[in-house]
């Protein structure tokens, strides 16, 4: 087993891997105790070369690996690539390109939503994976033989999986769909965590514009704290405490200390001062900079009825084309379409628009109807009783 621990070994291995038309890539990392994922091991298989890169080895320089990740002549194959790419982007400021994500490709080919790697390997290669080492401590050294065998297996199976899955994708004539999805994964903006946007990841458990303004500032403050100290967001302040503070908008140490969601002593700590300053910024925010509250508002009965029909249309469309419904549209996107014909959502762009979005809007306009034919939902033109399926 080729375990690389020096820069010289890495340079030689990457030179060999650069000759392959595609390479399978995976990483082992830990992030339970940190904000940024801590890379512990890199696995690559391409052509006849199979390597494990111990990036925690003293003195090793990962530049040859990062150069390989942006080599336009080598396709990088991942399964569920987002976190692996996030690691590369955070460490080197680059995004691997070109890439092929087997999880997304599997959804395009009809293997279901968020299909697991083990299931794909079983279905396409007929192999059972031993996942017992998945949650071991990858930061401890030395790594056991069992850990190394498990880690290398992930990319050797992936190397064999890729040609079979690509053949299915080519047969389905949906390669352009995958290209659209890979464009999102290879966009640096996907991995840029701007503190001022942190509030968007939160559930809108607030009821007023003033509370939202405070929440926006609190979330940005927490994001900056977590990033700079490299600790999980919840270690700085839990979500429930954010909602509590946003709703109460405490302006003094005493008011902050009275909140039950905070532990004793927090109000007088440096973080407590930071919270109070964020509250003041939120209260002073220009109302025009605070978006209208939408998420969490009850849907009007007529919009709820439209959404129910859109769900049926989505399932019928996904079943007819053999695509995972979640890849076409999420529940949030269906709600946006139900509320507005001008919704700015991925379901109304690109291949999704042609596959589902156009019919969704036509259904809202009363130009399409849903019925059941031979036990299956069928889409009909409202004026004509002809089966469009």
């Amino acid at each position: 087993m080729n375990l690389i621990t020096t820069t010289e070994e890495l340079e030689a291995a990457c030179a060999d891997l650069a000759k392959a038309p595609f390479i399978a890539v995976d990483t082992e990392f830990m992030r339970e105790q940190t904000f940024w994922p801590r890379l512990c091991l890199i696995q690559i298989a391409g052509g006849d070369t199979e390597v494990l890169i111990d990036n925690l080895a003293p003195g090793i320089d990962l530049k040859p690996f990062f150069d390989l990740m942006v080599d336009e002549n080598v396709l990088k194959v991942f399964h569920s690539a987002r976190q692996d790419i996030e690691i590369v982007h955070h460490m080197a400021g680059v995004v691997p390109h070109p890439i092929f994500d087997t999880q997304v490709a599997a959804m395009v080919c009809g293997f279901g939503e968020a299909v697991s790697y083990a299931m794909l390997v079983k279905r396409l290669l007929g192999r059972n994976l031993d996942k017992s080492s998945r949650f071991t401590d990858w930061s401890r050294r030395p790594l056991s033989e069992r850990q190394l065998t498990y880690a290398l297996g992930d990319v050797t199976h992936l190397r064999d999986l890729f040609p079979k899955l690509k053949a299915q994708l080519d047969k389905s004539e949906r390669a352009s769909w995958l290209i659209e999805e890979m464009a999102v994964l290879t966009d640096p903006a996907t991995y840029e965590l701007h503190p001022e946007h942190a509030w968007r990841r939160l559930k809108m458990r607030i009821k007023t514009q003033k509370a939202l303004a405070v929440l926006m500032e609190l979330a940005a403050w927490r994001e900056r704290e977590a990033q700079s100290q490299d600790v999980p967001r919840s270690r700085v302040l839990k979500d429930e405490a954010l909602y509590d503070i946003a709703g109460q908008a405490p302006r003094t140490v005493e008011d902050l200390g009275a909140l039950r969601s905070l532990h004793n002593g927090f109000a007088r700590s440096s973080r407590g001062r930071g919270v109070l300053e964020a509250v003041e910024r939120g209260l002073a925010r220009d109302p025009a900079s605070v978006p209208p509250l939408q998420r969490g508002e009850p849907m009007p009965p007529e919009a709820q009825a439209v959404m129910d029909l859109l769900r049926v249309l989505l399932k019928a469309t996904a079943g007819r084309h053999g695509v995972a419904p979640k890849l076409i549209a999420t529940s949030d996107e269906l709600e946006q379409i139900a509320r507005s014909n001008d919704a700015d959502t991925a379901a109304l762009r690109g291949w999704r628009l042609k596959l589902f979005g156009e019919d969704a809007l036509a259904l809202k306009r009363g130009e399409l109807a849903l019925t059941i034919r031979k036990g299956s939902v069928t889409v009909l033109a409202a004026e004509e009783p002809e089966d469009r399926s």
Side-chain angles (χ1 to χ4, degrees), residues 10 13-15 17-18 22-27 39 42-46 51 53 62-78 81 84-89 91-100 155 185-186:
L10 181 58
C14 288
L17 290 164
F22 73 90
I23 58 175
V25 187
D26 191 27
T27 64
L39 181 61
I42 304 167
Q43 308 98 274
I44 310 179
V51 297
I53 304 167
L62 293 183
K63 185 178 183 304
F65 165 71
F66 296 134
D67 289 344
L68 180 62
M69 289 298 96
V70 293
D71 187 333
E72 292 292 329
N73 297 315
V74 182
L75 179 67
K76 274 67 70 173
V77 180
F78 297 86
D84 298 312
I85 295 175
E86 179 191 5
I87 290 171
V88 174
H89 182 262
M91 295 182 68
V94 300
V95 174
H97 190 274
I99 69 166
F100 184 102
V155 288
L185 282 174
T186 55

Side-chain angles (χ1 to χ4, degrees), residues 75 107 109-110 158 175 178 182 206 234 244 262 309 371 388:
L75 179 67
M107 287 194 285
C109 292
L158 187 58
L178 188 70
M182 296 305 97
I206 37 120
S234 61
D244 193 12
L262 301 175
L309 288 175
T371 187
R388 298 182 68 241

Side-chain angles (χ1 to χ4, degrees), residues 289-310:
S289 70
V290 183
L293 282 173
Q294 292 181 346
R295 296 193 59 177
E297 291 183 349
M299 290 184 69
E302 60 273 17
Q304 183 62 61
V306 171
M307 186 169 175
D308 291 340
L309 288 175
L310 291 175

Side-chain angles (χ1 to χ4, degrees), residues 209-283:
Q209 292 296 108
K210 182 179 79 170
L212 177 55
V214 174
L215 183 68
M216 292 169 71
E217 292 293 340
L218 285 170
W221 168 81
R222 184 179 70 168
E223 193 79 358
R224 286 190 291 268
E225 288 284 298
Q227 288 186 16
S228 64
Q229 298 173 32
D230 195 18
V231 295
R233 297 180 183 96
S234 61
R235 190 78 62 81
V236 177
L237 203 62
K238 295 185 182 300
D239 287 357
E240 291 300 327
L242 284 183
Y243 304 135
D244 193 12
I245 297 167
Q248 299 296 325
R251 306 187 73 171
T252 68
V253 172
E254 291 72 25
D255 290 341
L256 185 62
L259 299 183
R260 296 177 60 184
S261 57
L262 301 175
H263 62 76
N264 291 335
F266 180 90
R268 298 187 180 279
S269 69
S270 60
R271 285 181 178 172
R273 290 192 295 275
V275 164
L276 290 174
E277 290 169 0
V279 170
E280 291 299 327
R281 289 194 298 273
L283 294 175

